Amino acid sequence: MKVTILGGGIIGLCSAYYLQKEGYQITIIERGDISNGCSFGNMGYMSPSHFTPLASPGIIAEGLKHMMNSSSPFYIKPRLNWDLMKWGYHFWKNSNAATVKKHAPHLNNLLQLSRGLINDMRTDIGDNFEMQEIGCLMMCKQQKTLEHEFHLADEAEKFGLQVERLNKVQVQELEKEMELNVAGAVLFKDDCHFNPGKMMRTLKNYLIEKGITFQLETTVTGFEKSNNNIAAVITDKGKFDCEEIIISTGSWLPDIAKMIKIKLLLQPGKGYSYTYPYIEKNIKYPAILIDGRCAVTPWGHQLRIGGTMEISGINNNILVNRMKGIYESAKDFYPVLNIDLPPADKIWSGLRPVSPDGLPYIGKSALFKNVTFAGGHAMLGISEGPGTGLLVSQILDNKKTEIDISAFSVNRF
Ligand SMILES: Cc1cc2nc3c(=O)[nH]c(=O)nc-3n(C[C@H](O)[C@H](O)[C@H](O)COP(=O)(O)OP(=O)(O)OC[C@H]3O[C@@H](n4cnc5c(N)ncnc54)[C@H](O)[C@@H]3O)c2cc1C
């Protein structure tokens, strides 16, 4: 059977990876050339530790607090836009402890599924994307944030994750070569990290070798319908007949869904990163700087710093002050780290596809029998990519899915 995948980000490529193993004939239609975009410049964490959805208690208050601060890590640009208002309403409705408790096990299932799959995938596609399985530090400056992280560590243990609670001396012991300005940290030992750009290139090359067709520089503009099916994808390069379609267009999921009269709540959440090509005395551990709401990832002598969640629509505008905020946080946590303020013209930005409840959309559309959605992974697309790909292949095979996917329903709002 022929499968047409729309969008060549991590979700599209992971879906192709598992579908080709089942013998499907696959074409990936992608507007760009799969060399940049959200799946490339991110922090490269595969984080089972992130089972708490973004929509959680306190997040709205934090957003409002930072509204006027141009260097803040979380920002929603107020606009008179119906889709944003509806999304905001559902985001607010989901930001409570009871919903988080309900959603966390679903996120945990998907995260642990992916984490379990990545090692086999690495062996299969080629071990050259600098994956390291040393865990990830959640570093805290204030005692109050550290206590909150310790509480999250308790929750993590209930999900079977391995954690280490570290005081100031113990965390410094781990990061021996670099002076730290922290109260302590939690080490989430199941987390791993890799270079996401290299991983994307490795996976793409593997898929080319396996005979997958890449229809690049091609923009999807519409669909040809036939009863309850999509008969063809219409693009600026012509029409492609299809049997099954996977829609994995990241932050553009709602635009594509609208073309077939399906409403999906999703907003792009812009984040920034900058990669220092060579740092003589680099950090060893990837870390989330909790009080600074930003992250740092080392790959040998390379270092990426990144963060922010800016809900301001689809755009590539770079607000340099936000990157300055990230840089200053990094310097605050690692006072002797030898880094300069990133040059404005080299700052990378990407759009995370953010659903209002922090859960992805994975499953068949109610309207069209041959359409499957896979997207809305927000800040966890890398962490949840392999699991999502496997689930997509099981959905198309009409097999019982590895985990319960009812919470990821496309029709839930
Ligand atoms: C700063 C930052 C740090 C992050 N760090 C992490 C991390 O450490 N770990 C983690 O798990 N996640 C992280 N993320 C999130 C992760 O990057 C995303 O969740 C993930 O990349 C989304 O993948 P995707 O395939 O859904 O979308 P994308 O990668 O955006 O891919 C969608 C593709 O669809 C294509 N497309 C769109 N419209 C059309 C059209 N009409 N026709 C043809 N093609 C189209 C686009 O060109 C794009 O290539 C981070 C994100 C940011 C911004």
Side-chain angles (χ1 to χ4, degrees), residues 7-11 30-31 38-39 42-45 218-220 248-250 252 256 271-272 348 350 352-353 378-383:
I10 185 73
I11 302 300
E30 163 58 48
R31 187 172 48 195
C38 197
S39 299
N42 62 70
M43 300 309 294
Y45 300 152
T218 304
T219 302
V220 175
S248 52
T249 46
W252 295 267
I256 302 288
Y272 300 106
W348 174 91
R352 307 174 183 90
M379 56 223 210
L380 294 172
I382 300 297
S383 307

PDB file of all heavy atoms in Angstrom, residues 7-11 30-31 38-39 42-45 218-220 248-250 252 256 271-272 348 350 352-353 378-383, ligand 1:
ATOM      1  N   GLY A   7       5.081  16.414   5.503  1.00  0.00           N
ATOM      2  CA  GLY A   7       5.949  16.986   6.526  1.00  0.00           C
ATOM      3  C   GLY A   7       7.111  16.068   6.848  1.00  0.00           C
ATOM      4  O   GLY A   7       6.909  14.910   7.223  1.00  0.00           O
ATOM      5  N   GLY A   8       8.324  16.594   6.698  1.00  0.00           N
ATOM      6  CA  GLY A   8       9.537  15.791   6.936  1.00  0.00           C
ATOM      7  C   GLY A   8      10.289  16.246   8.164  1.00  0.00           C
ATOM      8  O   GLY A   8      11.515  16.374   8.134  1.00  0.00           O
ATOM      9  N   GLY A   9       9.574  16.482   9.263  1.00  0.00           N
ATOM     10  CA  GLY A   9      10.241  16.721  10.557  1.00  0.00           C
ATOM     11  C   GLY A   9      10.464  15.374  11.231  1.00  0.00           C
ATOM     12  O   GLY A   9      10.295  14.308  10.615  1.00  0.00           O
ATOM     13  N   ILE A  10      10.826  15.408  12.508  1.00  0.00           N
ATOM     14  CA  ILE A  10      11.126  14.161  13.223  1.00  0.00           C
ATOM     15  C   ILE A  10       9.924  13.215  13.203  1.00  0.00           C
ATOM     16  O   ILE A  10      10.084  11.994  13.055  1.00  0.00           O
ATOM     17  CB  ILE A  10      11.590  14.447  14.689  1.00  0.00           C
ATOM     18  CG1 ILE A  10      12.023  13.188  15.407  1.00  0.00           C
ATOM     19  CG2 ILE A  10      10.507  15.135  15.515  1.00  0.00           C
ATOM     20  CD1 ILE A  10      13.306  12.622  14.975  1.00  0.00           C
ATOM     21  N   ILE A  11       8.712  13.756  13.288  1.00  0.00           N
ATOM     22  CA  ILE A  11       7.537  12.883  13.363  1.00  0.00           C
ATOM     23  C   ILE A  11       7.293  12.209  12.009  1.00  0.00           C
ATOM     24  O   ILE A  11       7.019  11.006  11.942  1.00  0.00           O
ATOM     25  CB  ILE A  11       6.292  13.679  13.839  1.00  0.00           C
ATOM     26  CG1 ILE A  11       6.565  14.321  15.226  1.00  0.00           C
ATOM     27  CG2 ILE A  11       5.048  12.801  13.871  1.00  0.00           C
ATOM     28  CD1 ILE A  11       6.885  13.354  16.343  1.00  0.00           C
ATOM     29  N   GLU A  30       7.542  17.395   1.415  1.00  0.00           N
ATOM     30  CA  GLU A  30       8.078  18.382   2.368  1.00  0.00           C
ATOM     31  C   GLU A  30       8.346  19.709   1.647  1.00  0.00           C
ATOM     32  O   GLU A  30       8.944  19.725   0.579  1.00  0.00           O
ATOM     33  CB  GLU A  30       9.363  17.818   3.010  1.00  0.00           C
ATOM     34  CG  GLU A  30      10.266  18.812   3.698  1.00  0.00           C
ATOM     35  CD  GLU A  30       9.611  19.604   4.826  1.00  0.00           C
ATOM     36  OE1 GLU A  30       8.951  19.008   5.689  1.00  0.00           O
ATOM     37  OE2 GLU A  30       9.774  20.850   4.834  1.00  0.00           O
ATOM     38  N   ARG A  31       7.906  20.772   2.288  1.00  0.00           N
ATOM     39  CA  ARG A  31       8.058  22.112   1.706  1.00  0.00           C
ATOM     40  C   ARG A  31       9.526  22.544   1.606  1.00  0.00           C
ATOM     41  O   ARG A  31       9.925  23.224   0.669  1.00  0.00           O
ATOM     42  CB  ARG A  31       7.291  23.081   2.607  1.00  0.00           C
ATOM     43  CG  ARG A  31       7.184  24.468   2.093  1.00  0.00           C
ATOM     44  CD  ARG A  31       6.266  25.290   2.945  1.00  0.00           C
ATOM     45  NE  ARG A  31       6.556  25.146   4.369  1.00  0.00           N
ATOM     46  CZ  ARG A  31       5.723  25.533   5.321  1.00  0.00           C
ATOM     47  NH1 ARG A  31       4.567  26.061   5.016  1.00  0.00           N
ATOM     48  NH2 ARG A  31       6.050  25.406   6.585  1.00  0.00           N
ATOM     49  N   CYS A  38      12.269  23.029  13.051  1.00  0.00           N
ATOM     50  CA  CYS A  38      12.133  22.766  14.482  1.00  0.00           C
ATOM     51  C   CYS A  38      12.855  21.496  14.919  1.00  0.00           C
ATOM     52  O   CYS A  38      13.392  21.425  16.024  1.00  0.00           O
ATOM     53  CB  CYS A  38      10.656  22.692  14.837  1.00  0.00           C
ATOM     54  SG  CYS A  38      10.384  22.863  16.593  1.00  0.00           S
ATOM     55  N   SER A  39      12.891  20.483  14.048  1.00  0.00           N
ATOM     56  CA  SER A  39      13.499  19.216  14.457  1.00  0.00           C
ATOM     57  C   SER A  39      15.033  19.247  14.404  1.00  0.00           C
ATOM     58  O   SER A  39      15.681  18.258  14.732  1.00  0.00           O
ATOM     59  CB  SER A  39      12.963  18.075  13.583  1.00  0.00           C
ATOM     60  OG  SER A  39      11.570  17.973  13.755  1.00  0.00           O
ATOM     61  N   ASN A  42      16.790  22.136  17.958  1.00  0.00           N
ATOM     62  CA  ASN A  42      16.312  21.971  19.344  1.00  0.00           C
ATOM     63  C   ASN A  42      17.439  21.454  20.242  1.00  0.00           C
ATOM     64  O   ASN A  42      18.565  21.281  19.810  1.00  0.00           O
ATOM     65  CB  ASN A  42      15.093  21.032  19.350  1.00  0.00           C
ATOM     66  CG  ASN A  42      15.447  19.668  18.837  1.00  0.00           C
ATOM     67  OD1 ASN A  42      16.151  18.912  19.480  1.00  0.00           O
ATOM     68  ND2 ASN A  42      14.983  19.347  17.624  1.00  0.00           N
ATOM     69  N   MET A  43      17.097  21.162  21.502  1.00  0.00           N
ATOM     70  CA  MET A  43      18.139  20.837  22.473  1.00  0.00           C
ATOM     71  C   MET A  43      18.580  19.370  22.427  1.00  0.00           C
ATOM     72  O   MET A  43      19.543  18.988  23.099  1.00  0.00           O
ATOM     73  CB  MET A  43      17.676  21.183  23.897  1.00  0.00           C
ATOM     74  CG  MET A  43      17.340  22.655  24.095  1.00  0.00           C
ATOM     75  SD  MET A  43      18.627  23.804  23.535  1.00  0.00           S
ATOM     76  CE  MET A  43      19.940  23.434  24.666  1.00  0.00           C
ATOM     77  N   GLY A  44      17.846  18.548  21.698  1.00  0.00           N
ATOM     78  CA  GLY A  44      18.291  17.161  21.509  1.00  0.00           C
ATOM     79  C   GLY A  44      18.106  16.240  22.708  1.00  0.00           C
ATOM     80  O   GLY A  44      18.773  15.214  22.811  1.00  0.00           O
ATOM     81  N   TYR A  45      17.190  16.595  23.590  1.00  0.00           N
ATOM     82  CA  TYR A  45      16.951  15.703  24.740  1.00  0.00           C
ATOM     83  C   TYR A  45      15.901  14.670  24.401  1.00  0.00           C
ATOM     84  O   TYR A  45      14.887  14.986  23.771  1.00  0.00           O
ATOM     85  CB  TYR A  45      16.380  16.456  25.955  1.00  0.00           C
ATOM     86  CG  TYR A  45      17.220  17.561  26.510  1.00  0.00           C
ATOM     87  CD1 TYR A  45      16.628  18.631  27.156  1.00  0.00           C
ATOM     88  CD2 TYR A  45      18.604  17.523  26.410  1.00  0.00           C
ATOM     89  CE1 TYR A  45      17.379  19.646  27.691  1.00  0.00           C
ATOM     90  CE2 TYR A  45      19.368  18.547  26.948  1.00  0.00           C
ATOM     91  CZ  TYR A  45      18.748  19.599  27.579  1.00  0.00           C
ATOM     92  OH  TYR A  45      19.492  20.607  28.102  1.00  0.00           O
ATOM     93  N   THR A 218       8.327  21.105  -1.988  1.00  0.00           N
ATOM     94  CA  THR A 218       6.978  20.913  -2.516  1.00  0.00           C
ATOM     95  C   THR A 218       5.960  21.240  -1.412  1.00  0.00           C
ATOM     96  O   THR A 218       5.992  20.624  -0.353  1.00  0.00           O
ATOM     97  CB  THR A 218       6.796  19.446  -2.978  1.00  0.00           C
ATOM     98  OG1 THR A 218       7.815  19.147  -3.934  1.00  0.00           O
ATOM     99  CG2 THR A 218       5.434  19.204  -3.595  1.00  0.00           C
ATOM    100  N   THR A 219       5.090  22.197  -1.684  1.00  0.00           N
ATOM    101  CA  THR A 219       4.149  22.646  -0.652  1.00  0.00           C
ATOM    102  C   THR A 219       2.761  22.081  -0.905  1.00  0.00           C
ATOM    103  O   THR A 219       2.223  22.203  -2.010  1.00  0.00           O
ATOM    104  CB  THR A 219       4.084  24.200  -0.657  1.00  0.00           C
ATOM    105  OG1 THR A 219       5.399  24.689  -0.431  1.00  0.00           O
ATOM    106  CG2 THR A 219       3.151  24.736   0.416  1.00  0.00           C
ATOM    107  N   VAL A 220       2.195  21.496   0.130  1.00  0.00           N
ATOM    108  CA  VAL A 220       0.827  20.980   0.032  1.00  0.00           C
ATOM    109  C   VAL A 220      -0.134  22.171   0.052  1.00  0.00           C
ATOM    110  O   VAL A 220      -0.057  23.026   0.937  1.00  0.00           O
ATOM    111  CB  VAL A 220       0.524  20.042   1.226  1.00  0.00           C
ATOM    112  CG1 VAL A 220      -0.926  19.583   1.205  1.00  0.00           C
ATOM    113  CG2 VAL A 220       1.477  18.854   1.223  1.00  0.00           C
ATOM    114  N   SER A 248       1.792  15.210   9.235  1.00  0.00           N
ATOM    115  CA  SER A 248       2.764  15.455  10.313  1.00  0.00           C
ATOM    116  C   SER A 248       3.498  16.770  10.018  1.00  0.00           C
ATOM    117  O   SER A 248       4.719  16.792   9.913  1.00  0.00           O
ATOM    118  CB  SER A 248       3.744  14.287  10.419  1.00  0.00           C
ATOM    119  OG  SER A 248       4.315  13.989   9.160  1.00  0.00           O
ATOM    120  N   THR A 249       2.706  17.817   9.871  1.00  0.00           N
ATOM    121  CA  THR A 249       3.280  19.096   9.457  1.00  0.00           C
ATOM    122  C   THR A 249       3.557  20.040  10.630  1.00  0.00           C
ATOM    123  O   THR A 249       3.559  21.264  10.458  1.00  0.00           O
ATOM    124  CB  THR A 249       2.360  19.784   8.421  1.00  0.00           C
ATOM    125  OG1 THR A 249       1.006  19.718   8.898  1.00  0.00           O
ATOM    126  CG2 THR A 249       2.435  19.135   7.063  1.00  0.00           C
ATOM    127  N   GLY A 250       3.790  19.489  11.797  1.00  0.00           N
ATOM    128  CA  GLY A 250       4.227  20.294  12.946  1.00  0.00           C
ATOM    129  C   GLY A 250       3.290  21.454  13.239  1.00  0.00           C
ATOM    130  O   GLY A 250       2.073  21.277  13.375  1.00  0.00           O
ATOM    131  N   TRP A 252       2.171  23.567  11.438  1.00  0.00           N
ATOM    132  CA  TRP A 252       1.237  23.846  10.339  1.00  0.00           C
ATOM    133  C   TRP A 252       0.138  22.778  10.261  1.00  0.00           C
ATOM    134  O   TRP A 252      -0.607  22.737   9.279  1.00  0.00           O
ATOM    135  CB  TRP A 252       2.001  23.952   9.010  1.00  0.00           C
ATOM    136  CG  TRP A 252       2.939  25.118   9.003  1.00  0.00           C
ATOM    137  CD1 TRP A 252       2.682  26.383   8.540  1.00  0.00           C
ATOM    138  CD2 TRP A 252       4.282  25.145   9.524  1.00  0.00           C
ATOM    139  NE1 TRP A 252       3.772  27.190   8.744  1.00  0.00           N
ATOM    140  CE2 TRP A 252       4.769  26.454   9.350  1.00  0.00           C
ATOM    141  CE3 TRP A 252       5.102  24.209  10.127  1.00  0.00           C
ATOM    142  CZ2 TRP A 252       6.053  26.841   9.749  1.00  0.00           C
ATOM    143  CZ3 TRP A 252       6.380  24.593  10.539  1.00  0.00           C
ATOM    144  CH2 TRP A 252       6.834  25.892  10.342  1.00  0.00           C
ATOM    145  N   ILE A 256      -3.221  22.590   7.463  1.00  0.00           N
ATOM    146  CA  ILE A 256      -3.496  21.452   6.580  1.00  0.00           C
ATOM    147  C   ILE A 256      -4.857  20.851   6.933  1.00  0.00           C
ATOM    148  O   ILE A 256      -5.656  20.515   6.055  1.00  0.00           O
ATOM    149  CB  ILE A 256      -2.378  20.380   6.716  1.00  0.00           C
ATOM    150  CG1 ILE A 256      -1.001  20.978   6.395  1.00  0.00           C
ATOM    151  CG2 ILE A 256      -2.669  19.162   5.852  1.00  0.00           C
ATOM    152  CD1 ILE A 256      -0.739  21.302   4.951  1.00  0.00           C
ATOM    153  N   GLY A 271      10.822  28.928  20.018  1.00  0.00           N
ATOM    154  CA  GLY A 271      11.964  28.823  20.924  1.00  0.00           C
ATOM    155  C   GLY A 271      13.220  29.215  20.172  1.00  0.00           C
ATOM    156  O   GLY A 271      13.253  29.210  18.930  1.00  0.00           O
ATOM    157  N   TYR A 272      14.251  29.572  20.916  1.00  0.00           N
ATOM    158  CA  TYR A 272      15.517  29.999  20.323  1.00  0.00           C
ATOM    159  C   TYR A 272      16.653  29.090  20.770  1.00  0.00           C
ATOM    160  O   TYR A 272      16.601  28.523  21.865  1.00  0.00           O
ATOM    161  CB  TYR A 272      15.881  31.416  20.789  1.00  0.00           C
ATOM    162  CG  TYR A 272      14.870  32.469  20.425  1.00  0.00           C
ATOM    163  CD1 TYR A 272      14.032  33.010  21.383  1.00  0.00           C
ATOM    164  CD2 TYR A 272      14.765  32.934  19.114  1.00  0.00           C
ATOM    165  CE1 TYR A 272      13.106  33.990  21.056  1.00  0.00           C
ATOM    166  CE2 TYR A 272      13.834  33.920  18.785  1.00  0.00           C
ATOM    167  CZ  TYR A 272      13.018  34.440  19.757  1.00  0.00           C
ATOM    168  OH  TYR A 272      12.108  35.401  19.419  1.00  0.00           O
ATOM    169  N   TRP A 348      19.183  30.797  16.130  1.00  0.00           N
ATOM    170  CA  TRP A 348      18.237  29.892  15.476  1.00  0.00           C
ATOM    171  C   TRP A 348      16.884  30.010  16.181  1.00  0.00           C
ATOM    172  O   TRP A 348      16.817  30.207  17.397  1.00  0.00           O
ATOM    173  CB  TRP A 348      18.774  28.463  15.572  1.00  0.00           C
ATOM    174  CG  TRP A 348      17.816  27.408  15.046  1.00  0.00           C
ATOM    175  CD1 TRP A 348      17.765  26.934  13.765  1.00  0.00           C
ATOM    176  CD2 TRP A 348      16.813  26.707  15.782  1.00  0.00           C
ATOM    177  NE1 TRP A 348      16.777  25.975  13.667  1.00  0.00           N
ATOM    178  CE2 TRP A 348      16.175  25.815  14.889  1.00  0.00           C
ATOM    179  CE3 TRP A 348      16.375  26.740  17.109  1.00  0.00           C
ATOM    180  CZ2 TRP A 348      15.137  24.969  15.274  1.00  0.00           C
ATOM    181  CZ3 TRP A 348      15.337  25.908  17.494  1.00  0.00           C
ATOM    182  CH2 TRP A 348      14.728  25.030  16.577  1.00  0.00           C
ATOM    183  N   GLY A 350      12.801  28.106  16.211  1.00  0.00           N
ATOM    184  CA  GLY A 350      11.953  27.020  15.706  1.00  0.00           C
ATOM    185  C   GLY A 350      10.590  27.102  16.353  1.00  0.00           C
ATOM    186  O   GLY A 350      10.435  27.668  17.442  1.00  0.00           O
ATOM    187  N   ARG A 352       7.577  25.162  17.975  1.00  0.00           N
ATOM    188  CA  ARG A 352       7.054  23.912  18.552  1.00  0.00           C
ATOM    189  C   ARG A 352       5.550  23.850  18.318  1.00  0.00           C
ATOM    190  O   ARG A 352       4.853  24.839  18.537  1.00  0.00           O
ATOM    191  CB  ARG A 352       7.279  23.873  20.062  1.00  0.00           C
ATOM    192  CG  ARG A 352       8.685  24.105  20.545  1.00  0.00           C
ATOM    193  CD  ARG A 352       8.615  24.166  22.075  1.00  0.00           C
ATOM    194  NE  ARG A 352       9.882  24.460  22.702  1.00  0.00           N
ATOM    195  CZ  ARG A 352      10.310  25.693  22.977  1.00  0.00           C
ATOM    196  NH1 ARG A 352       9.592  26.752  22.643  1.00  0.00           N
ATOM    197  NH2 ARG A 352      11.458  25.873  23.593  1.00  0.00           N
ATOM    198  N   PRO A 353       5.052  22.682  17.929  1.00  0.00           N
ATOM    199  CA  PRO A 353       3.594  22.575  17.746  1.00  0.00           C
ATOM    200  C   PRO A 353       2.911  22.274  19.089  1.00  0.00           C
ATOM    201  O   PRO A 353       2.985  21.165  19.591  1.00  0.00           O
ATOM    202  CB  PRO A 353       3.458  21.387  16.783  1.00  0.00           C
ATOM    203  CG  PRO A 353       4.763  20.646  16.846  1.00  0.00           C
ATOM    204  CD  PRO A 353       5.790  21.468  17.542  1.00  0.00           C
ATOM    205  N   ALA A 378       4.647  19.549  20.916  1.00  0.00           N
ATOM    206  CA  ALA A 378       5.172  20.694  21.672  1.00  0.00           C
ATOM    207  C   ALA A 378       6.681  20.577  21.905  1.00  0.00           C
ATOM    208  O   ALA A 378       7.443  20.460  20.960  1.00  0.00           O
ATOM    209  CB  ALA A 378       4.422  20.841  22.993  1.00  0.00           C
ATOM    210  N   MET A 379       7.092  20.541  23.187  1.00  0.00           N
ATOM    211  CA  MET A 379       8.528  20.546  23.485  1.00  0.00           C
ATOM    212  C   MET A 379       9.102  19.143  23.570  1.00  0.00           C
ATOM    213  O   MET A 379      10.220  18.960  24.058  1.00  0.00           O
ATOM    214  CB  MET A 379       8.776  21.296  24.799  1.00  0.00           C
ATOM    215  CG  MET A 379       8.000  20.734  25.940  1.00  0.00           C
ATOM    216  SD  MET A 379       7.300  22.021  26.912  1.00  0.00           S
ATOM    217  CE  MET A 379       7.274  21.223  28.504  1.00  0.00           C
ATOM    218  N   LEU A 380       8.340  18.148  23.065  1.00  0.00           N
ATOM    219  CA  LEU A 380       8.774  16.757  23.238  1.00  0.00           C
ATOM    220  C   LEU A 380       8.818  15.953  21.934  1.00  0.00           C
ATOM    221  O   LEU A 380       8.764  14.727  21.967  1.00  0.00           O
ATOM    222  CB  LEU A 380       7.835  16.059  24.241  1.00  0.00           C
ATOM    223  CG  LEU A 380       7.899  16.595  25.669  1.00  0.00           C
ATOM    224  CD1 LEU A 380       6.801  15.978  26.524  1.00  0.00           C
ATOM    225  CD2 LEU A 380       9.261  16.335  26.285  1.00  0.00           C
ATOM    226  N   GLY A 381       8.885  16.624  20.816  1.00  0.00           N
ATOM    227  CA  GLY A 381       8.841  15.912  19.535  1.00  0.00           C
ATOM    228  C   GLY A 381       9.998  14.944  19.342  1.00  0.00           C
ATOM    229  O   GLY A 381       9.841  13.866  18.761  1.00  0.00           O
ATOM    230  N   ILE A 382      11.185  15.325  19.822  1.00  0.00           N
ATOM    231  CA  ILE A 382      12.345  14.436  19.698  1.00  0.00           C
ATOM    232  C   ILE A 382      12.167  13.255  20.653  1.00  0.00           C
ATOM    233  O   ILE A 382      12.349  12.095  20.285  1.00  0.00           O
ATOM    234  CB  ILE A 382      13.651  15.217  20.012  1.00  0.00           C
ATOM    235  CG1 ILE A 382      13.825  16.399  19.045  1.00  0.00           C
ATOM    236  CG2 ILE A 382      14.874  14.309  20.030  1.00  0.00           C
ATOM    237  CD1 ILE A 382      13.976  16.043  17.595  1.00  0.00           C
ATOM    238  N   SER A 383      11.738  13.595  21.867  1.00  0.00           N
ATOM    239  CA  SER A 383      11.560  12.555  22.901  1.00  0.00           C
ATOM    240  C   SER A 383      10.467  11.560  22.532  1.00  0.00           C
ATOM    241  O   SER A 383      10.499  10.411  22.970  1.00  0.00           O
ATOM    242  CB  SER A 383      11.171  13.203  24.231  1.00  0.00           C
ATOM    243  OG  SER A 383      12.072  14.199  24.587  1.00  0.00           O
TER     244      SER A 383
HETATM  245  C1  LIG B   1      14.309  25.716  21.313  1.00  0.00           C
HETATM  246  C2  LIG B   1      13.666  24.351  21.210  1.00  0.00           C
HETATM  247  C3  LIG B   1      14.192  23.305  21.946  1.00  0.00           C
HETATM  248  C4  LIG B   1      13.596  22.037  21.892  1.00  0.00           C
HETATM  249  N1  LIG B   1      14.191  21.011  22.547  1.00  0.00           N
HETATM  250  C5  LIG B   1      13.641  19.766  22.491  1.00  0.00           C
HETATM  251  C6  LIG B   1      14.258  18.686  23.162  1.00  0.00           C
HETATM  252  O1  LIG B   1      15.324  18.812  23.740  1.00  0.00           O
HETATM  253  N2  LIG B   1      13.635  17.475  23.125  1.00  0.00           N
HETATM  254  C7  LIG B   1      12.453  17.283  22.474  1.00  0.00           C
HETATM  255  O2  LIG B   1      11.890  16.185  22.541  1.00  0.00           O
HETATM  256  N3  LIG B   1      11.870  18.283  21.762  1.00  0.00           N
HETATM  257  C8  LIG B   1      12.443  19.528  21.774  1.00  0.00           C
HETATM  258  N4  LIG B   1      11.860  20.558  21.095  1.00  0.00           N
HETATM  259  C9  LIG B   1      10.602  20.307  20.381  1.00  0.00           C
HETATM  260  C10 LIG B   1      10.825  19.576  19.066  1.00  0.00           C
HETATM  261  O3  LIG B   1      11.831  20.240  18.352  1.00  0.00           O
HETATM  262  C11 LIG B   1       9.509  19.571  18.274  1.00  0.00           C
HETATM  263  O4  LIG B   1       8.487  18.994  19.069  1.00  0.00           O
HETATM  264  C12 LIG B   1       9.633  18.747  16.994  1.00  0.00           C
HETATM  265  O5  LIG B   1      10.724  19.191  16.231  1.00  0.00           O
HETATM  266  C13 LIG B   1       8.354  18.815  16.171  1.00  0.00           C
HETATM  267  O6  LIG B   1       8.524  17.937  15.086  1.00  0.00           O
HETATM  268  P1  LIG B   1       7.452  17.807  13.920  1.00  0.00           P
HETATM  269  O7  LIG B   1       7.938  16.778  13.001  1.00  0.00           O
HETATM  270  O8  LIG B   1       6.079  17.655  14.529  1.00  0.00           O
HETATM  271  O9  LIG B   1       7.425  19.246  13.246  1.00  0.00           O
HETATM  272  P2  LIG B   1       8.533  19.965  12.317  1.00  0.00           P
HETATM  273  O10 LIG B   1       9.893  19.561  12.669  1.00  0.00           O
HETATM  274  O11 LIG B   1       8.192  21.417  12.352  1.00  0.00           O
HETATM  275  O12 LIG B   1       8.223  19.365  10.890  1.00  0.00           O
HETATM  276  C14 LIG B   1       7.074  19.709  10.173  1.00  0.00           C
HETATM  277  C15 LIG B   1       7.449  19.822   8.715  1.00  0.00           C
HETATM  278  O13 LIG B   1       6.260  20.038   7.936  1.00  0.00           O
HETATM  279  C16 LIG B   1       6.596  20.852   6.844  1.00  0.00           C
HETATM  280  N5  LIG B   1       5.390  21.499   6.303  1.00  0.00           N
HETATM  281  C17 LIG B   1       4.563  22.372   6.929  1.00  0.00           C
HETATM  282  N6  LIG B   1       3.583  22.766   6.107  1.00  0.00           N
HETATM  283  C18 LIG B   1       3.781  22.131   4.930  1.00  0.00           C
HETATM  284  C19 LIG B   1       3.105  22.133   3.692  1.00  0.00           C
HETATM  285  N7  LIG B   1       2.005  22.874   3.472  1.00  0.00           N
HETATM  286  N8  LIG B   1       3.577  21.366   2.685  1.00  0.00           N
HETATM  287  C20 LIG B   1       4.710  20.602   2.857  1.00  0.00           C
HETATM  288  N9  LIG B   1       5.386  20.563   4.029  1.00  0.00           N
HETATM  289  C21 LIG B   1       4.930  21.314   5.048  1.00  0.00           C
HETATM  290  C22 LIG B   1       7.562  21.862   7.443  1.00  0.00           C
HETATM  291  O14 LIG B   1       8.368  22.457   6.444  1.00  0.00           O
HETATM  292  C23 LIG B   1       8.353  21.015   8.432  1.00  0.00           C
HETATM  293  O15 LIG B   1       9.570  20.545   7.894  1.00  0.00           O
HETATM  294  C24 LIG B   1      12.430  21.828  21.097  1.00  0.00           C
HETATM  295  C25 LIG B   1      11.942  22.885  20.322  1.00  0.00           C
HETATM  296  C26 LIG B   1      12.530  24.141  20.368  1.00  0.00           C
HETATM  297  C27 LIG B   1      11.991  25.233  19.526  1.00  0.00           C
END
